[in-house]
Every structure is written in C-alpha cells, then in structure tokens.
Amino acid sequence: MKTTKGLNVLGLQKSFDTAIYAYQGWSGRVRVVEGDPSCDDYAKWDEQGKANDHEYGDINLKDGK
C-alpha cells in the first residue's frame, strides 16, 4: 500500500488505544527512504485513512494497494 505522497506502507494494522481499551485507527511503518529499511518510521492514521500528526500522507483503505 502507498500513501498519497507515494511512500510505501508496511505492516498496516488496527491500532489499539490503551486509554479507552479499544481498537481505533490504523498504524504501520512508512518506508521514508526507498530501498532502505533502516529509515522506516512508524505512523498512524484515523479510521478514514487520514494522517495523524505526520507528513507522510493519507492512505486509501478502499483500494488496499
């Protein structure tokens, strides 16, 4: 899957919020530098795929690509 800014998202999964003890939003690793796994960064998105506190872009949950 890619973000709207063309970055690869790996390991996308539902995020667990321990404050409310429920699954809420999405999280995954973003490959910031193409071909370099040591430059991966963790990011979160809301239920609709909008970015939470990062500039890596939104995700399209309907496509799954």
Side-chain angles (χ1 to χ4, degrees), residues 42-45 50-56:
Y42 288 93
K44 291 187 176 189
W45 296 267
K50 302 293 181 197
N52 283 349
D53 301 325
H54 61 80
E55 298 294 324
Y56 300 133

Side-chain angles (χ1 to χ4, degrees), residues 10 29-41:
L10 307 152
R29 291 186 335 256
V30 178
R31 180 74 33 102
V32 181
V33 177
E34 188 67 33
D36 189 356
S38 66
C39 293
D40 287 358
D41 195 11

Side-chain angles (χ1 to χ4, degrees), residues 6-26:
L7 299 171
N8 286 328
V9 177
L10 307 152
L12 186 68
Q13 64 185 2
K14 291 293 284 181
S15 291
F16 191 78
D17 188 347
T18 56
I20 61 172
Y21 210 70
Y23 287 99
Q24 183 174 339
W26 297 89

